[in-house]
């Protein structure tokens, strides 16, 4: 009787050597084919099983199975090894250095492609973030699809408050998202709408595209304990008639600090330091009264015109001053709606219009340029 187990062991030795010597996936496939394929060496051995006793057969069967398993493992390991080596060599041979300036391809008449760069609004945002974080502020994120409570209610805009008309709003048709029962939402801002955290069950809750980043005042106060200093940069939306100074989508940065004692003097000093950093020279500021429901007192902050040094020019409409940002001391109702005691805590808040700052800095006359996606405009920065 032929010693089939020994034959299988010999095949195993041969296959192992062949696999070790293979230098391509194709060579490995050949090995598999030659040893365990339909017409392979193992199949030939197994054809002789008929002449064996049942005990011998089971021994040979086991040896054959072991061989197959062993072969599969060796083939898979070797294939992985070859793939790794291939990727390594491709990394070398196909490496493209994207930081190298492309050369014009004169023969093909191809122009030098223009390199990408930071958008002027993103650059302004980064600059402000650097200034504020160096003054101990943290950067906080909000959400762009907001509820009425965070955008208006908790910021002291009562239901029928005329100040809601200051901010024309895009309302969002809600389709009962995860975890939000459909009957708690409405696309129509009804007079009964209010709520947010702790909204009574069944109250209708309109959703909207946030009209300002002041929403993050409330979101931050829900999560953080005072004293705190935060900024919240982001995109905001208004249902605006678009013209040279109005856009439906623009960028703001909200700022807020809460402490035991905060005064208008603190706010003024902070804003002056900020603007001096932004414009790279000493600036003079002044406050005029301004109305926003979530601050009391509220102000419009003006900066002495940098173009004419206050003498009067077309940029400052011959007044010597340019309106830069609104600000104020946080209204006690806002503190209260966030669960803070207004006798214990005070706050200051300000809203920077990033588009406006970039426009002032670069002398851009039309806000629509930012969203127009025109490369000729963007390439100037
Ligand atoms: N959220 C206001 C707006 O978009 C701007 C604003 C005004 C923010 C006064 C403030 C503030 O923090 O104190 O019109």
């Amino acid at each position: 009787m032929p010693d089939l187990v020994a034959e299988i062991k010999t095949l195993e030795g041969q296959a192992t050597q062949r696999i070790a010597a293979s230098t391509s996936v194709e060579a490995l496939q050949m090995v598999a084919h030659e040893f365990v394929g339909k017409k392979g060496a193992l199949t030939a051995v197994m054809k002789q099983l008929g002449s064996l006793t049942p005990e011998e057969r089971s021994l040979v069967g086991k040896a054959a199975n072991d061989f197959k398993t062993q072969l599969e493992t060796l083939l898979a390991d070797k294939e992985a090894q070859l793939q790794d080596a291939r990727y390594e060599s491709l990394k070398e041979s196909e490496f493209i250095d994207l930081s190298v300036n492309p050369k014009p391809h004169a023969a093909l008449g191809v122009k030098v492609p223009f390199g990408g760069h930071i958008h002027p609004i993103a650059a302004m945002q980064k600059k402000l973030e650097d200034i504020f974080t160096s003054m101990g502020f943290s950067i906080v994120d909000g959400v762009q699809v907001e509820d009425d409570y965070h955008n208006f209610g908790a910021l002291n805009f009562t239901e029928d408050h005329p100040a809601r008309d200051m901010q024309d709003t895009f309302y969002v048709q809600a389709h009962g998202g995860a975890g939000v029962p459909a009957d708690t939402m409405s696309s129509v801002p009804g007079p009964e709408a209010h709520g947010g955290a702790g909204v009574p069950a069944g109250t209708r809750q309109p959703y909207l595209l946030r009209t300002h980043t002041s929403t993050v005042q409330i979101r931050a106060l829900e999560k953080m304990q005072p004293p705190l200093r935060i900024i919240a940069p982001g995109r905001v939306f208004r249902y605006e008639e678009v013209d040279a100074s109005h856009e439906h989508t623009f960028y703001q940065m909200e700022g807020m600090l809460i402490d035991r004692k905060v005064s208008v003097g603190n706010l003024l000093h902070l804003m002056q330091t900020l603007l001096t950093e932004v414009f790279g020279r000493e600036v003079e500021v002044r406050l005029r009264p301004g109305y926003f429901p979530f601050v009391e007192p509220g102000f419009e902050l003006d900066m002495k015109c940098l173009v004419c040094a206050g003498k009067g020019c077309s940029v400052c409409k011959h007044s010597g001053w340019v309106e830069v940002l609104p600000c104020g001391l946080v209204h006690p109702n806002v503190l209260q709606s966030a669960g803070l005691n207004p006798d214990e805590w005070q706050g200051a808040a300000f809203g920077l219009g990033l588009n406006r700052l970039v426009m002032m800095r670069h002398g851009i006359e039309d806000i629509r340029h930012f969203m127009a996606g025109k490369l000729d405009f963007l390439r100037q920065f």
Side-chain angles (χ1 to χ4, degrees):
M1 182 212 73
D3 186 350
L4 298 188
V5 172
E7 279 186 36
I8 291 175
K9 287 280 160 224
T10 312
L11 289 182
E12 208 172 298
Q14 289 169 354
T16 307
Q17 272 182 11
R18 288 274 308 279
I19 290 172
S22 297
T23 53
S24 68
V25 175
E26 291 72 30
L28 291 177
Q29 283 164 350
M30 269 314 276
V31 175
H33 179 70
E34 282 174 30
F35 285 85
V36 292
K38 257 195 196 143
K39 295 189 177 153
L42 181 69
T43 318
V45 171
M46 298 304 270
K47 281 195 175 137
Q48 303 172 52
L49 274 184
S51 60
L52 303 184
T53 65
E55 292 77 35
E56 287 168 337
R57 245 188 251 170
S58 95
L59 282 178
V60 176
K62 183 177 179 310
N65 280 338
D66 289 350
F67 172 44
K68 276 189 191 161
T69 317
Q70 162 87 350
L71 199 71
E72 267 170 29
T73 313
L74 289 174
L75 286 169
D77 288 353
K78 183 69 185 193
E79 186 172 340
Q81 238 180 51
L82 289 172
Q83 285 292 17
D84 284 351
R86 185 162 163 267
Y87 289 141
E88 277 309 308
S89 82
L90 282 181
K91 253 200 248 167
E92 294 276 317
S93 64
E94 298 199 350
F95 174 72
I96 300 172
D97 184 352
L98 293 175
S99 65
V100 168
N101 277 333
K103 293 202 173 65
H105 206 308
L108 295 174
V110 176
K111 274 214 256 165
V112 184
F114 185 75
H117 68 291
I118 308 285
H119 190 278
I121 291 187
M124 176 59 80
Q125 178 178 328
K126 176 80 175 65
K127 189 180 174 86
L128 291 167
E129 286 176 358
D130 286 348
I131 299 171
F132 279 113
T133 48
S134 76
M135 295 194 284
F137 282 73
S138 1
I139 305 169
V140 181
D141 253 344
V143 289
Q144 293 183 6
V145 179
E146 254 303 358
D147 52 46
D148 185 271
Y149 173 78
H150 290 90
N151 199 84
F152 291 125
L155 286 165
N156 199 33
F157 289 81
T158 46
E159 296 312 337
D160 42 7
H161 203 296
R164 285 184 183 228
D165 294 343
M166 285 159 68
Q167 304 189 354
D168 292 322
T169 309
F170 286 111
Y171 285 89
V172 175
Q173 182 83 51
H175 289 287
V180 190
D183 67 349
T184 62
M185 294 194 269
S186 160
S187 61
V188 186
E192 75 280 41
H194 61 92
V199 196
T203 304
R204 282 144 69 85
Q205 173 71 74
Y207 284 77
L208 45 82
L209 298 185
R210 68 173 175 193
T211 58
H212 53 179
T213 44
S214 302
T215 53
V216 188
Q217 288 191 18
I218 305 303
R219 296 214 166 260
L221 287 172
E222 283 166 0
K223 274 189 260 158
M224 302 163 77
Q225 289 302 320
L228 57 83
R229 296 168 177 218
I230 56 130
I231 49 165
R235 203 192 291 212
V236 300
F237 310 86
R238 301 267 173 102
Y239 183 46
E240 292 277 8
E241 189 86 52
V242 171
D243 63 24
S245 44
H246 297 90
E247 230 331 342
H248 51 70
T249 303
F250 52 102
Y251 293 80
Q252 292 187 334
M253 181 182 282
E254 186 76 10
M256 179 176 68
L257 64 113
I258 305 278
D259 215 319
R260 301 221 174 251
K261 282 241 159 297
V262 179
S263 68
V264 173
N266 297 142
L267 176 63
L268 201 57
H269 178 71
L270 181 66
M271 294 298 102
Q272 182 149 21
T273 313
L274 170 77
L275 294 171
T276 301
E277 288 273 345
V278 170
F279 290 98
R281 54 190 139 141
E282 201 62 42
V283 298
E284 209 178 306
V285 297
R286 73 172 187 193
L287 293 176
R288 279 179 296 117
Y291 176 71
F292 305 93
F294 42 94
V295 281
E296 177 57 37
F299 305 105
E300 289 289 353
L301 185 135
D302 297 337
M303 181 176 97
K304 183 157 283 175
C305 182
L306 291 177
V307 177
C308 62
K311 290 190 189 70
C313 66
S314 63
V315 172
C316 59
K317 300 196 187 95
H318 305 282
S319 71
W321 295 89
V322 185
E323 189 176 307
V324 193
L325 62 94
C327 56
L329 297 186
V330 178
H331 196 290
N333 288 355
V334 175
L335 294 170
Q336 233 151 12
S337 66
L340 297 180
N341 179 354
D343 295 331
E344 222 180 300
W345 297 102
Q346 296 180 326
F350 48 92
L352 290 156
L354 299 187
N355 300 57
R356 193 171 157 68
L357 279 182
V358 174
M359 288 169 83
M360 280 165 54
R361 179 127 176 261
H362 295 290
I364 299 165
E365 77 302 339
D366 192 326
I367 194 173
R368 289 169 293 192
H369 287 312
F370 293 113
M371 299 294 290
K374 289 221 176 83
L375 290 178
D376 284 347
F377 168 73
L378 294 170
R379 279 174 188 159
Q380 302 173 84
F381 303 97

